[in-house]
Amino acid sequence: MFTNIKNGQLAKRSCVYQKKKKLCESFLQILWDEGFILGYKTSRRDQNNFKIFLKYFDNETPVITNIKFVSKPGRRIYYSVKQIWKIDSSKVFVIFSTNKGIKTLTDCKKYKLGGEPIIILN
C-alpha cells in the first residue's frame, strides 16, 4: 500500500486505489489523522477497493517525500519502551505494530508500549 501511495505521488496523481483490508484501513486512519493524506473512502466502482486521496503542498510537492520500510519479513526489528523513548518524535514519524494494534510513536510513548516499527515517514 505504501509503495502504491509513493508511486502515485511521484506521478502527481490526485488519488490511488488500494485493495480493501482491515490492516490497510488502520494505516490509512493514522495517515489521515496525522495529515499525510486528504482522506480515503470505499470506491463506488469496486466495493473491495479503497480510494485514497493524496495530499500535496501548493499542488506540486508531495506531503510524503520519503517512505522507509524498517522491519521486513527477512529481518524483524523490535523496540522496547526504553528504546522508543530515545527516538526524537519531532524529527521523524514512525508507525509501530504493537500488541494493542497499529500505533504512532507518540501513542507508544503515551501508553508505554513497545513494538515492531513498520515504516518511517519524512
Side-chain angles (χ1 to χ4, degrees):
M1 179 184 74
F2 293 109
T3 305
N4 194 7
I5 291 172
K6 184 170 116 179
N7 291 339
Q9 288 201 319
L10 288 175
K12 300 201 187 263
R13 297 199 175 190
S14 61
C15 63
V16 292
Y17 292 92
Q18 177 63 37
K19 198 77 165 158
K20 192 174 185 180
K21 297 176 184 169
K22 285 186 179 183
L23 184 65
C24 291
E25 187 172 8
S26 61
F27 276 117
L28 288 172
Q29 186 63 39
I30 288 175
L31 291 177
W32 183 69
D33 288 341
E34 298 295 325
F36 287 106
I37 59 173
L38 289 176
Y40 66 96
K41 68 177 185 176
T42 303
S43 176
R44 287 184 181 175
R45 284 186 273 167
D46 187 6
Q47 295 295 319
N48 293 329
N49 284 338
F50 282 125
K51 186 175 184 180
I52 305 167
F53 301 99
L54 303 177
K55 188 174 182 179
Y56 296 93
F57 292 121
D58 300 327
N59 293 328
E60 289 194 17
T61 56
V63 173
I64 300 173
T65 56
N66 190 12
I67 296 177
K68 183 178 179 187
F69 299 98
V70 181
S71 187
K72 300 174 185 175
R75 183 174 179 228
R76 297 286 186 194
I77 298 171
Y78 297 98
Y79 286 165
S80 67
V81 179
K82 288 181 182 180
Q83 291 171 323
I84 285 177
W85 277 100
K86 294 178 183 177
I87 301 172
D88 188 10
S89 59
S90 65
K91 294 181 182 177
V92 70
F93 182 77
V94 184
I95 297 179
F96 284 91
S97 174
T98 67
N99 58 351
K100 303 291 184 192
I102 305 296
K103 302 284 184 194
T104 62
L105 178 63
T106 53
D107 288 341
C108 286
K109 288 181 179 181
K110 182 175 163 183
Y111 299 123
K112 296 184 176 116
L113 294 171
E116 179 182 5
I118 305 295
I119 60 163
I120 295 176
L121 296 173
N122 291 339

